Amino acid sequence: MRLVTCLILSLCSLVGFATFASAQQPPQRGIVNVTGQLYRAQNNNHYTVFLVTPEGVIMSDPINRDFARWLKGEIATRFKVPVRYVLYTHRDWDHASGGVVFADTAEFVGHRNMLTALAPPAGNPPLPADALKMDVNKNSLVERSEAAGAYAERFAMFDYNRDEVISGGEIARGSVSDVHPPTVTYTDRHTVTLGGKRVTMTYLGIAHADDSSVLHFPDERAVFSADIMQVKRLPGGLAPTVGSWIDALQTINAMDFEHALTGHALAGTKKDSMQSLQYLLDISKGVATGIGAGRSLAEIQKTLTLDAYKGFERWDTIREAHIAAVYATIAGAR
Ligand SMILES: [Zn+2]
């Protein structure tokens, strides 16, 4: 018995150590040149871009504080100019956090709806189901000691008023407390000029989030979009409607570009962005045809295999959920 206990304990401590060791792995970071003075920078599976001009740098998402500090150092060492602009793709915490690192030299630009998203929590909505399960003392709040998973990992980013409890309102607002708010906002289109260079931000509508911008670098013939444009990768979801995604991709593809730079995974070319749009058109047409022929959702999920996209990341894991989302939209509109 004692030997078994001892074995289990040592195994546990080994497993514990392994978990600890992997959590301590340094993030994968790097900077690659895209073309001219435009660069793409990586933090694990998140990416941002920056353009170097003689008067300073125009960059996109800061991603998080730790990465932002690293990037600030790299830019200072390699290019010896300050970051003058941070242009946000959207408000999500995993792209937009940490901008305060550049606040000493930069102006922050985002779509107007970013301000609404970052506004103080409003009302007193109930805790969502996953947080309700953690509320052991039933006070409709999640204490630090109760928090688990993402709520524990990002507790301070949820805790807007820093009272050491997370409310339903704070959860509805999201873990955006480390997002430095834009100092300049726009509605349809906004151009930033610096050191003889231009970057244009264009509003993408309500796909994914209601404050998404695509960045266009006309001289470099490049676009940068996080979470909407993907390269050989299906979107994480098609909320709120597939139509909003088609609109957003059409807005992007109407631009003159060669380099399709994304916030996650691979970068590619305009052809890749056209394929992403084609996927949305194919899935919409396939689902509409199925509904027209009287097929059930399950039948459509089985037959609409969209094989042209078999090599895309998430084809096997998310295609059926996309079909369900499109089915709900089309069926709901009938
Ligand atoms: Zn996002």
Side-chain angles (χ1 to χ4, degrees):
M1 260 322 262
R2 278 192 60 194
L3 180 68
V4 171
T5 314
C6 186
L7 254 173
I8 289 171
L9 279 176
S10 58
L11 272 175
C12 284
S13 67
L14 269 176
V15 171
F17 178 74
T19 312
F20 178 76
S22 68
Q24 296 301 303
Q25 285 278 318
Q28 204 180 336
R29 287 180 179 154
I31 295 172
V32 295
N33 180 250
V34 177
T35 180
Q37 288 301 300
L38 179 62
Y39 296 83
R40 188 175 187 233
Q42 175 189 13
N43 186 65
N44 294 328
N45 197 28
H46 285 76
Y47 293 80
T48 188
V49 295
F50 63 91
L51 181 66
V52 183
T53 86
E55 288 173 29
V57 163
I58 304 170
M59 64 174 276
S60 187
D61 299 324
I63 300 178
N64 65 50
R65 252 187 227 224
D66 195 47
F67 170 77
R69 275 191 212 105
W70 173 83
L71 184 64
K72 189 178 187 176
E74 291 291 314
I75 289 173
T77 310
R78 295 189 196 197
F79 306 105
K80 311 204 176 350
V81 285
V83 171
R84 295 281 307 280
Y85 288 96
V86 173
L87 312 182
Y88 287 120
T89 59
H90 64 305
R91 90 298 206 114
D92 281 352
W93 68 274
D94 61 323
H95 295 274
S97 294
V100 67
V101 168
F102 303 103
D104 56 341
T105 57
E107 203 165 88
F108 296 76
V109 190
H111 186 266
R112 187 177 58 180
N113 290 351
M114 246 186 114
L115 290 181
T116 320
L118 300 177
N124 192 19
L127 292 175
D130 60 343
L132 202 57
K133 273 187 268 171
M134 296 168 199
D135 184 19
V136 179
N137 66 0
K138 307 274 177 237
N139 65 348
S140 301
L141 298 163
V142 178
E143 277 81 7
R144 222 179 239 278
S145 57
E146 293 175 333
Y151 296 115
E153 279 165 33
R154 307 200 296 274
F155 193 93
M157 287 155 83
F158 278 107
D159 185 16
Y160 171 80
N161 62 0
R162 300 182 192 182
D163 62 354
E164 292 294 309
V165 291
I166 310 179
S167 67
E170 286 172 333
I171 292 174
R173 178 175 178 262
S175 53
V176 292
S177 288
D178 202 29
V179 177
H180 192 74
T183 47
V184 173
T185 60
Y186 79 99
T187 47
D188 299 322
R189 187 159 294 148
H190 181 80
T191 299
V192 165
T193 54
L194 182 72
K197 288 286 184 180
R198 276 179 306 157
V199 185
T200 296
M201 301 172 78
T202 302
Y203 181 49
L204 288 179
I206 56 170
H208 179 68
D210 69 356
D211 58 355
S212 285
S213 300
V214 57
L215 274 56
H216 184 219
F217 301 81
D219 298 338
E220 290 72 21
R221 299 194 64 228
V223 291
F224 178 64
S225 156
D227 293 344
I228 292 181
M229 185 181 68
Q230 313 266 348
V231 169
K232 295 183 173 61
R233 182 179 197 246
L234 301 185
L238 294 180
T241 64
V242 68
S244 66
W245 279 79
I246 291 171
D247 289 347
L249 260 301
Q250 280 174 340
T251 300
I252 295 173
N253 291 343
M255 294 173 180
D256 173 51
F257 70 93
E258 169 63 21
H259 306 281
L261 309 174
T262 60
H264 292 282
L266 297 176
T269 64
K270 188 166 199 176
K271 202 177 141 206
D272 292 301
S273 192
M274 303 288 276
Q275 273 187 354
S276 292
L277 173 60
Q278 195 57 48
Y279 168 79
L280 300 171
L281 296 170
D282 288 352
I283 195 170
S284 301
K285 195 176 161 202
V287 173
T289 305
I291 290 175
R295 280 186 221 119
S296 69
L297 170 60
E299 286 168 333
I300 299 172
Q301 283 170 322
K302 215 172 152 193
T303 51
L304 185 58
T305 52
L306 298 156
D307 286 342
Y309 309 96
K310 222 167 190 167
F312 279 41
E313 186 184 335
R314 296 173 169 161
W315 175 87
D316 49 344
T317 56
I318 218 160
R319 189 186 69 259
E320 290 187 4
H322 284 179
I323 292 172
V326 176
Y327 183 94
T329 303
I330 297 177
R334 274 151 70 93

